[in-house]
Amino acid sequence: MRRMKIYEHYPLKALNTFGIEAQARYFCSLHTLGGLKSVMLWRREHPDLPVLFLGGGSNLLFVEDFPGIVVQVRLAERKVIAEDPHYVYVRAGAGENWHEFVRWTIEQGYAGLENLSLIPGTVGAAPMQNIGAYGVELKDHFYELDALDWRTAELRKFSLDDCAFAYRDSHFKSVEPGRWLIGAVTFRLPKQPVWKTDYAGVSEHLVGKTLDARTISDAIVAIRQSKLPDPKVIGNAGSFFKNPLVAIEKFTAIKAKFPNCPAWPQEEQIKLSAGWLIDQCGWKGKRVGDAGTYDKHALVLVNHGQASGAEIWQLAQAIIASVQEKFAVTLEAEPNVIRTTF
Ligand SMILES: Cc1cc2nc3c(=O)[nH]c(=O)nc-3n(C[C@H](O)[C@H](O)[C@H](O)COP(=O)(O)OP(=O)(O)OC[C@H]3O[C@@H](n4cnc5c(N)ncnc54)[C@H](O)[C@@H]3O)c2cc1C
């Protein structure tokens, strides 16, 4: 077996979409399952070092250097593995680019993932926070995934129930972070698609068009490009805060003071717009050094050039404090914040 190259003090700036200067104490790139055996052998010699699995780095904020090993997951695979009268089952390697995979399913004639077009990152990271956009979440078309236990090298399949998907959350994100390396994900795509075009702004883009997966995907791409900053131009990790869920009594109190507060009922709770709350506190387009909020969308924190992860994180703390003071609502960061001190 060929030993895999493990680099030391590896620069991560080009590998995170915030463009934050940070280093990994150790780093390797995993292209094959054979390589995985080699990393597991290396791991036995360094059992106490923390691990960070890395996809496209579009949902991470490095506040500090990473003291352990960063394993960049680049496993490639795209395959239709089965079908029944109602569904096709499509499997993708964790290292596949998410948007390219979505477009590939559409080219094969399959629908279901079109509303999730242009979300940056990889297939392997997508289940981590149950990616979602324009009324669809990954869990809506998920079938199962293959993962490897970083501690024991056990390979395991996770069903939909095992993954405990919730709003921007999963078993892998909040129950056992850092334990499971996701190697491949299988999706179950319907042969009779049901289009979801009622989300704000989507139907306007589709007026007069015949609906199919490609047309909807193109509309989603156009909408996203008009609203969100391109990380190649300005560093960011998309929405920096989750939309908070509050109890009905709390919402009633907020609504009494702020009648325009947007809100969506969510089972027994109410979901608020984090972007609106932040905007009301005057943060939209604000800049502190090179850390700031995007001028078209207050929910997106941006790196105007040389901001450090600590500066972005300080800005996030200031935003959390002002939303807390004005609305008594606690915002929670959506990206994975990499730091050893809390
Ligand atoms: C402009 C922009 C727009 C965005 N829009 C959306 C959106 O609409 N909806 C949405 O949900 N998200 C959105 N995001 C966030 C991000 O794109 C998604 O969370 C994406 O799934 C992250 O993929 P990644 O490969 O970049 O993950 P990374 O940032 O590399 O990693 C994210 C987390 O997943 C873990 N991880 C990565 N790969 C694996 C693996 N193979 N096995 C186990 N753990 C792994 C990492 O350790 C980390 O904890 C946006 C980001 C940007 C920059």
Side-chain angles (χ1 to χ4, degrees):
M1 181 183 37
R2 228 181 70 209
R3 258 188 102 77
M4 195 160 61
K5 177 110 177 107
I6 310 264
Y7 298 87
E8 290 197 49
H9 305 292
Y10 196 85
L12 298 169
K13 185 174 164 108
L15 301 181
N16 71 95
T17 60
F18 253 126
I20 298 294
E21 201 85 64
Q23 275 195 357
R25 177 68 185 87
Y26 298 99
F27 177 91
C28 66
S29 239
L30 187 66
H31 291 261
T32 63
L33 284 176
L36 196 51
K37 285 188 198 141
S38 165
V39 188
M40 292 310 287
L41 284 177
W42 183 90
R43 189 208 154 262
R44 269 195 230 157
E45 294 157 23
H46 305 80
D48 299 326
L49 274 186
V51 64
L52 176 71
F53 306 123
L54 180 71
S58 65
N59 205 24
L60 288 171
L61 175 65
F62 287 104
V63 173
E64 296 166 5
D65 289 340
F66 189 69
I69 182 163
V70 170
V71 178
Q72 184 188 36
V73 184
R74 307 199 63 182
L75 302 169
E77 179 185 4
R78 290 177 197 172
K79 215 172 14 186
V80 176
I81 54 166
E83 69 180 285
D84 61 30
H86 305 292
Y87 298 99
V88 285
Y89 297 79
V90 184
R91 184 181 147 99
E96 293 283 345
N97 173 278
W98 173 260
H99 177 66
E100 285 169 18
F101 168 64
V102 170
R103 294 297 277 211
W104 177 81
T105 61
I106 294 170
E107 278 159 28
Q108 307 306 303
Y110 309 131
L113 302 179
E114 54 282 352
N115 289 40
L116 302 177
S117 297
L118 210 65
I119 296 181
T122 56
V123 166
M128 278 295 289
Q129 69 156 8
N130 177 30
I131 56 168
Y134 300 96
V136 174
E137 289 184 327
L138 170 123
K139 72 171 172 50
D140 301 334
H141 298 289
F142 176 91
Y143 182 63
E144 64 178 19
L145 64 76
D146 297 341
L148 174 118
D149 187 337
W150 179 250
R151 298 183 309 197
T152 63
E154 173 209 353
L155 278 167
R156 190 184 142 185
K157 283 201 185 296
F158 283 78
S159 68
L160 181 64
D161 284 350
D162 296 335
C163 293
F165 289 127
Y167 167 60
R168 300 297 181 272
D169 201 9
S170 73
H171 179 88
F172 310 100
K173 185 169 181 182
S174 53
V175 183
E176 295 190 298
R179 176 167 175 187
W180 297 97
L181 186 160
I182 297 168
V185 185
T186 303
F187 297 88
R188 193 177 76 151
L189 304 178
K191 288 186 173 172
Q192 290 296 323
V194 179
W195 309 123
K196 288 239 178 172
T197 57
D198 50 351
Y199 203 87
V202 179
S203 49
E204 290 88 318
H205 257 79
L206 293 166
V207 173
K209 295 188 176 155
T210 307
L211 292 191
D212 58 31
R214 164 61 73 112
T215 307
I216 296 172
S217 172
D218 287 347
I220 298 287
V221 168
I223 296 168
R224 291 183 68 97
Q225 284 174 336
S226 70
K227 280 192 173 171
L228 290 166
D230 178 352
K232 290 195 194 100
V233 179
I234 182 162
N236 75 93
S239 304
F240 197 88
F241 300 101
K242 293 185 185 181
N243 287 322
L245 289 169
V246 298
I248 292 170
E249 305 78 65
K250 177 168 265 186
F251 172 64
T252 312
I254 294 173
K255 189 86 181 160
K257 268 174 102 178
F258 305 94
N260 299 332
C261 177
W264 300 268
Q266 203 83 5
E267 285 157 22
E268 315 246 293
Q269 292 180 297
I270 304 286
K271 192 192 263 185
L272 303 179
S273 158
W276 186 87
L277 299 173
I278 296 168
D279 205 354
Q280 296 306 302
C281 295
W283 283 105
K284 198 186 213 170
K286 279 272 161 67
R287 188 169 170 165
V288 183
D290 267 357
T293 58
Y294 190 47
D295 53 6
K296 289 191 201 160
H297 204 333
L299 189 53
V300 180
L301 300 198
V302 293
N303 175 7
H304 285 285
Q306 300 302 320
S308 67
E311 285 164 344
I312 301 273
W313 188 234
Q314 272 162 20
L315 174 64
Q317 297 309 305
I319 292 172
I320 290 171
S322 53
V323 169
Q324 182 73 47
E325 194 185 325
K326 190 164 180 136
F327 297 100
V329 169
T330 309
L331 292 183
E332 198 187 320
E334 184 183 303
N336 299 270
V337 179
I338 308 300
R339 62 199 165 123
T340 45
T341 44
F342 283 83

